[in-house]
Amino acid sequence: MPPKIANNSEDAVSSIKDNEAIWTHNMAATPTVLLKGLAKHALSCRNLTLLQLHTEGDGAALMVAPQLRGHLRCRCYFVSAVTRKAVQNGDADYVPILLAEVPKLIRSGEQRIDTAIIQVSPPDKHGNCSLGVSVEATHAALEKAGKIIAHINPQMPRTHGDGLITYKSFHTVYEESVPISCHAPASQNDVYNSIGQNVAALVQDRDCIQTGIGAIPDAVLACLGDRKDLGVHTEMFSDGILPLVEKGVITGAYKKNHPGKIVTSFVIGSQKLYDFVDDNSTVQFLDTEYVNDMRSIQRNPQAMSINSAIQVDLTGQVCADSMGTKIYSGFGGQIDFVRGASLSEGGRGVIALPSTAAGGSISRITTTLSAGAGVVTTRAHVHYIATEYGVVSLRGRSLRERTKDLINIAHPDFREELNREAFEKLHLSLN
């Protein structure tokens, strides 16, 4: 039976009924047009649940509007800027989970999915559409969803890998040409540039790197122009890798898993980035259950993960998802890649962060984590920590040794206080 052709976005989602669990496509592929229709349709429904990772755009923001209370509630496996306040206020739910585990949760049936709403490219001559710039856990959701509602967007790139889906598998389709959500490169400053230089000093020729989006990843990548034969196996990437591809720095020639290919699960960035991945067979968009599986990561020698944090305590515990009790983001793939890189032959994992926050008034390296803060990377998993004041390796180091090392890369304004608190609170003599 051919899909229903919807007249508008509200008509497209009209088949959604009370009590449904709805999966939405994520990241730059967030189906903003369909979410705007859902915001209207949901007012006639009760007890809808919208399952999501990181969502983007004004359509996603409508999903946490006060008028939808009792009609629709967001259930977030990762918290974005548009859902953060709702989660912190108790108006949306956060599920702590490794990104590699989200597809497993879906495929096992532990998380029911009645409907999936997605944004795809137009069908090719064979009747196949593409999930475009974001495959992540949506690939798994499509396998289990009772019905699939698709926004067909001529501006969505066609990408290679796990993102193909046949037009005939759709329940309803709505076509409209709209721009894909773009992100401008993060602003740089002296702190980020110093962190980038410190982390880049650890990157060797032939490394297989994982990094993300933001000022620190961009600063690191900007320092790698003289490296040779780097590979990429990462849950996501942004514009920072493009100059390295253009210069021939990224070749993937020494990868053992997908040699010569850039492996990712999603991308988010500029239109130039989206043009780069469009019909580019050297970039493989694969399911996060595979991309973030530690076994997939470790197959490549010299795997190097680069991730960020909100706080690191003096024993090496890394908080990356909350500010005290307030959830800020999520686990994502940090521990997947920290552990996967550590198991790789010659692999390394780096947690990079500025030494201070709030305009220099707060140290991010702290004696203990803030009350209620969650541990994402444990002190048993952590390897390198980097700030603008240097890099230290904590692997195999005692608590006393870690404390001394971390104080040495804290901001100088806080080192005396950290030394004192290490003795008073942790009973560690650093003399």
Side-chain angles (χ1 to χ4, degrees):
M1 184 176 180
K4 171 190 171 183
I5 309 297
N7 296 316
N8 53 56
S9 61
E10 189 174 357
D11 181 35
V13 299
S14 61
S15 62
I16 294 174
K17 306 301 182 186
D18 292 353
N19 304 310
E20 285 199 19
I22 307 159
W23 178 269
T24 178
H25 209 168
N26 295 281
M27 322 306 176
T30 301
T32 297
V33 169
L34 294 182
L35 290 180
K36 289 178 179 179
L38 182 60
K40 297 176 182 178
H41 174 70
L43 293 172
S44 64
C45 299
R46 300 293 297 174
N47 196 35
L48 300 178
T49 302
L50 187 68
L51 311 167
Q52 60 196 280
L53 298 169
H54 174 112
T55 50
E56 291 274 323
D58 51 358
L62 292 174
M63 297 297 95
V64 291
Q67 60 265 32
L68 288 185
R69 288 176 185 155
H71 300 283
L72 181 147
R73 188 174 177 90
C74 290
R75 186 174 179 85
C76 308
Y77 299 104
F78 195 92
V79 175
S80 69
V82 296
T83 55
R84 188 171 296 133
K85 184 176 180 181
V87 168
Q88 292 175 353
N89 291 341
D91 294 323
D93 297 311
Y94 166 57
V95 181
I97 189 168
L98 304 180
L99 186 53
E101 296 292 322
V102 178
K104 294 179 182 179
L105 195 73
I106 295 168
R107 290 187 169 107
S108 69
E110 294 172 82
Q111 175 57 66
R112 183 185 91 250
I113 296 181
D114 299 299
T115 298
I117 56 176
I118 58 176
Q119 182 178 188
V120 298
S121 70
D124 62 16
K125 64 182 181 180
H126 305 291
N128 293 317
C129 299
S130 169
L131 291 176
V133 296
S134 193
V135 169
E136 19 87 16
T138 295
H139 181 246
L142 298 180
E143 295 174 6
K144 304 299 287 188
K147 59 179 176 288
I148 302 170
I149 299 171
H151 168 206
I152 295 178
N153 185 358
Q155 297 191 48
M156 176 64 78
R158 296 187 62 82
T159 58
H160 292 250
D162 289 336
L164 289 184
I165 179 169
T166 61
Y167 180 84
K168 63 183 180 183
S169 67
F170 299 144
H171 177 276
T172 305
V173 298
Y174 171 66
E175 183 167 351
E176 182 179 347
S177 181
V178 297
I180 305 301
S181 178
C182 290
H183 265 247
S187 299
Q188 294 292 337
N189 59 33
D190 290 342
V191 170
Y192 293 133
N193 290 335
S194 294
I195 296 171
Q197 291 167 12
N198 290 337
V199 174
L202 298 173
V203 180
Q204 305 167 9
D205 293 346
R206 304 183 183 182
D207 276 354
C208 183
I209 58 176
Q210 171 261 328
T211 188
I213 188 172
I216 292 176
D218 285 350
V220 175
L221 293 168
C223 297
L224 302 181
D226 62 347
R227 302 306 194 277
K228 297 178 181 178
D229 291 316
L230 297 182
V232 176
H233 182 112
T234 183
E235 72 182 45
M236 67 88 63
F237 66 85
S238 191
D239 289 70
I241 80 157
L242 297 184
L244 299 180
V245 174
E246 292 165 359
K247 292 178 181 178
V249 172
I250 291 175
T251 67
Y254 290 88
K255 291 176 66 179
K256 291 186 178 178
N257 203 17
H258 303 280
K261 305 291 186 181
I262 295 172
V263 170
T264 191
S265 188
F266 62 96
V267 298
I268 186 165
S270 69
Q271 186 60 48
K272 181 179 179 181
L273 177 70
Y274 303 148
D275 292 342
F276 169 73
V277 300
D278 184 35
D279 198 27
N280 186 344
S281 60
T282 65
V283 184
Q284 296 291 302
F285 285 75
L286 305 178
D287 189 306
T288 51
E289 184 172 347
Y290 173 81
V291 173
N292 285 45
D293 189 301
M294 296 176 192
R295 293 165 295 186
S296 299
I297 298 163
Q298 77 171 99
R299 289 190 191 108
N300 288 311
Q302 297 181 212
M304 182 170 184
S305 69
I306 304 167
N307 290 281
S308 60
I310 294 171
Q311 267 187 325
V312 177
D313 74 14
L314 291 180
T315 73
Q317 295 187 115
V318 177
C319 173
D321 71 340
S322 66
M323 295 180 175
T325 59
K326 292 186 178 295
I327 298 299
Y328 186 81
S329 53
F331 272 63
Q334 181 172 125
I335 192 62
D336 299 330
F337 279 90
V338 167
R339 185 61 179 153
S342 74
L343 296 171
S344 162
E345 182 181 353
R348 284 140 285 134
V350 183
I351 303 295
L353 70 165
S355 64
T356 63
S361 63
I362 298 172
S363 178
R364 288 178 181 261
I365 293 180
T366 57
T367 308
T368 59
L369 296 181
S370 299
V375 176
V376 170
T377 296
T378 76
R379 54 194 172 205
H381 288 96
V382 73
H383 192 179
Y384 288 98
I385 302 288
T387 72
E388 69 270 31
Y389 292 101
V391 181
V392 294
S393 174
L394 303 186
R395 181 175 291 173
R397 306 288 281 170
S398 70
L399 295 184
R400 187 172 66 86
E401 291 165 337
R402 288 164 178 242
T403 296
K404 291 177 68 174
D405 291 343
L406 287 169
I407 290 174
N408 285 336
I409 63 167
H411 193 285
D413 290 351
F414 295 94
R415 291 178 190 175
E416 183 178 346
E417 178 184 352
L418 290 169
N419 270 290
R420 184 178 66 253
E421 290 185 351
F423 179 75
E424 294 175 352
K425 296 182 178 181
L426 304 181
H427 310 292
L428 294 172
S429 175
L430 304 183
N431 296 328

